[in-house]
Amino acid sequence: MDEHTVGEVARLSGVSVRTLHHYDAIGLLTPSGRSEAGYRLYSATDLARLRRILVYRELELGLEGIRQILADPDARAADHLRRQHRLLRDRRSRIDELLGAIEHEMEAHEMGIALTPEEQFEIFGTDRLEEHAAEAKEKWGDEDTWRESARRTAAYTKDDWTRIKAEADANIQGFVRAIEAGLPADGPEARALAEEHRRHLDRWFYPCTLHAHRGLAALYVSDPRYTAQWDAAAPGFSRYVHDAILANASGSA
């Protein structure tokens, strides 16, 4: 058929009959013909115009703005296609940016980090905790353990994180002093520090049994980057803590 009734156009386009009547009333889409009974009849050209209108509407242009665009006598079909293509690309860029921002928030929530970047930097000296947490999860994360840690930490406030950081720093300094004093890693002082470390994890992050703590100790010496990071606190720090944890686990078994 070369012409379509308003009901047929409504079914083809998904636009209500009422909307098509409104488009006609405001001069945005006036059907080219009428039936003998006076009903609207839309031609192929009318349908092409409707397709342009719907794309512009999807791009959130107002009806008056669309009417003015389509009223340009010099604009060809290719001109409208290029304009719509440009507008769609711009919209996709904005959507990609929004998706990136939302995914970043989702990732932070999954990792249990409710701090702003400014708060992260203030407490930990970095605003990239999400990246570090994501890498740790990928490399070493046990799903159940990670889920429990995320569940707990998602509710932590800035004060909670400040306390966690202070406790962790105190434990690190305790190990540094033990190393500098030449105390053996399997001695009572080092084992006490290892137990303090285990209880810190158990209290704030996830149930940390002696067995789980032994598994964590292996990470301190299995990844060169991880070892280098901790050895910055004191030469041999990673190996010392590893041995102290194993000694504590064996002595408490």
Side-chain angles (χ1 to χ4, degrees):
M1 293 179 61
D2 295 329
E3 295 180 312
H4 300 270
T5 65
V6 68
E8 290 170 342
V9 173
R11 286 191 295 273
L12 288 170
S13 64
V15 176
S16 69
V17 170
R18 182 177 179 179
T19 297
L20 291 171
H21 286 173
H22 179 62
Y23 287 175
D24 185 7
I26 65 175
L28 182 60
L29 178 63
T30 300
S32 301
R34 292 274 177 171
S35 69
E36 292 182 359
Y39 294 114
R40 296 171 174 84
L41 293 176
Y42 293 81
S43 67
T45 301
D46 297 332
L47 294 182
R49 182 181 176 92
L50 177 58
R51 285 195 295 272
R52 296 189 192 105
I53 291 170
L54 295 180
V55 173
Y56 282 128
R57 287 296 289 152
E58 184 66 24
L59 290 165
E60 300 180 353
L61 272 68
L63 295 180
E64 178 58 24
I66 297 172
R67 191 185 65 79
Q68 292 177 9
I69 290 173
L70 296 181
D72 182 358
D74 297 324
R76 298 168 300 171
D79 297 326
H80 289 295
L81 289 172
R82 280 192 291 270
R83 186 201 309 264
Q84 291 172 342
H85 184 264
R86 184 183 70 253
L87 292 172
L88 283 168
R89 287 180 64 88
D90 291 343
R91 184 178 183 186
R92 184 173 69 179
S93 296
R94 292 195 299 271
I95 290 174
D96 287 343
E97 290 175 1
L98 287 172
L99 281 173
I102 291 172
E103 288 167 358
H104 183 75
E105 287 191 33
M106 290 171 62
E107 183 179 81
H109 181 75
E110 180 184 352
M111 300 305 168
I113 299 169
L115 299 175
T116 66
E118 293 75 17
E119 289 172 331
Q120 292 178 31
F121 196 88
E122 177 185 346
I123 298 171
F124 297 99
T126 179
D127 59 359
R128 302 176 67 182
L129 295 185
E130 294 93 344
E131 295 179 26
H132 299 324
E135 180 181 358
K137 178 182 180 181
E138 181 180 349
K139 291 172 67 68
W140 307 308
D142 171 79
E143 193 63 32
D144 292 337
T145 299
W146 201 268
R147 188 180 299 111
E148 174 62 15
S149 178
R151 185 191 67 79
R152 292 191 194 181
T153 57
Y156 289 167
T157 64
K158 178 182 176 181
D159 289 342
D160 291 328
W161 284 112
T162 300
R163 181 179 174 188
I164 291 169
K165 179 66 162 52
E167 287 184 9
D169 286 347
N171 185 250
I172 290 171
Q173 289 307 308
F175 275 116
V176 170
R177 288 192 294 271
I179 293 171
E180 291 176 344
L183 300 178
D186 59 354
E189 296 88 352
R191 293 203 308 273
L193 288 167
E195 177 63 13
E196 179 183 296
H197 179 261
R198 185 189 70 81
R199 290 180 181 275
H200 173 81
L201 296 174
D202 189 83
R203 178 169 56 254
W204 290 106
F205 298 101
Y206 53 85
C208 187
T209 63
L210 291 168
H211 176 74
H213 205 208
R214 288 175 64 97
L216 180 63
L219 301 179
Y220 287 178
V221 294
S222 63
D223 189 300
R225 291 183 302 168
Y226 203 86
T227 301
Q229 175 187 344
W230 285 110
D231 282 359
F237 183 93
S238 294
R239 174 58 64 178
Y240 187 90
V241 174
H242 167 274
D243 293 349
I245 290 175
L246 264 58
N248 180 62
S250 298
S252 302

